[in-house]
Amino acid sequence: MNRVPLEKKVLSENDRIAADLRERFRGNKVLCLNLISSPGSGKTTLLEKTLDALPHSERVAVLTGDIQTENDAARLKRFGFPVKQITTGGTCHLDARMIERHLAGWKLDEIDLLFFENVGNLVCPSSYDLGEAAKIVLLSVTEGEDKPLKYPSIFFKSELLVITKTDLLPYVPFDIGKAEENARRVHPNMGILRLSCTKGDGMQDWLQWLERRKSGSATRAESLA
Ligand SMILES: Nc1nc2c(ncn2[C@@H]2O[C@H](COP(=O)(O)OP(=O)(O)O)[C@@H](O)[C@H]2O)c(=O)[nH]1
Ligand SMILES: [Mg+2]
């Protein structure tokens, strides 16, 4: 059985739509960030804390993906910003077509910052360009410091690593220095933030990173996808 040609065709079709999306984001000056992690690493929680911290004048929107349920969209809608759920019905990643379809009805010139919360998975989302300016990978301290070595593709393609749930460090044998060293073995120039959404530690660093990324977005529009 030879599965390569079909996979290539699907990916090249995805790349074509993603390139169109990237042009639209660039033309409308939308900074688009694609959040990727294992299920439960804290993507939705980070987005909740981010939306809660941003002023209501901020023009931010979220597309959140899951295999089933509208739970995450319900959590995120509470903050008053535009949010849509993408339910993939079994697919383990978001693709550019899903993004294109769910953007319908939103005016991109009224959005400055657009988050995608990808389906929880460290493998499949790394192959699918969504037209984002940057991928951001989250790794919680309960997942083990070897994950950048086991899943190098997503760590290589992500501009930023956010190590989440640092409040749990006293209770788990997670060597955070080693995790960062492993990430930099895969991606030497990777940005790394340490964060606890529960305690708030590192939240200011994250918000500052967002601000800096927004002001530099005109020149940093390419992802490594
Ligand atoms: N202790 C701790 N738990 C967290 C933190 N962030 C998220 N969680 C918990 O981790 C679980 C999964 O979080 P969620 O945001 O739904 O993860 P997602 O699947 O990546 O979107 C939830 O029970 C959260 O309350 C954190 O900073 N510290
Ligand atoms: Mg989630």
Side-chain angles (χ1 to χ4, degrees), residues 35-49 64-66 72 75-76 117-121 138 140-143 163-169 171 195-201:
L35 269 54
I36 297 170
S37 78
S38 301
S41 303
K43 298 178 295 301
T44 312
T45 307
L46 176 57
L47 287 171
E48 288 178 298
K49 297 288 179 189
T64 181
D66 265 308
D72 284 3
R75 284 168 64 183
L76 294 167
E117 177 184 347
N118 220 308
V119 178
N121 189 317
L138 285 71
S140 68
V141 303
T142 56
E143 292 171 60
I163 300 183
T164 58
K165 309 193 189 182
T166 55
D167 55 288
L168 298 180
L169 277 171
Y171 314 106
L195 189 79
S196 164
C197 280
T198 306
K199 291 253 170 82
D201 300 347

Side-chain angles (χ1 to χ4, degrees), residues 122 139-152 155 161 163 169 172-186 192:
L122 277 180
L139 175 69
S140 68
V141 303
T142 56
E143 292 171 60
E145 59 273 329
D146 57 350
K147 292 304 168 293
L149 303 179
K150 288 187 172 176
Y151 302 93
F155 288 86
L161 163 63
I163 300 183
L169 277 171
V172 289
F174 181 85
D175 182 340
I176 196 162
K178 191 75 188 163
E180 293 176 347
E181 188 187 314
N182 288 341
R184 292 220 162 98
R185 273 175 67 187
V186 173
I192 300 179

Side-chain angles (χ1 to χ4, degrees), residues 37-95:
S37 78
S38 301
S41 303
K43 298 178 295 301
T44 312
T45 307
L46 176 57
L47 287 171
E48 288 178 298
K49 297 288 179 189
T50 305
L51 297 183
D52 194 31
L54 292 174
H56 283 287
S57 55
E58 193 82 20
R59 305 193 316 166
V60 55
V62 184
L63 292 180
T64 181
D66 265 308
I67 289 177
Q68 291 293 350
T69 84
E70 303 252 334
N71 292 359
D72 284 3
R75 284 168 64 183
L76 294 167
K77 276 180 184 167
R78 297 180 296 135
F79 300 92
F81 297 102
V83 173
K84 274 190 208 169
Q85 182 78 46
I86 303 179
T87 308
T88 66
T91 307
C92 56
H93 55 82
L94 295 179
D95 66 33

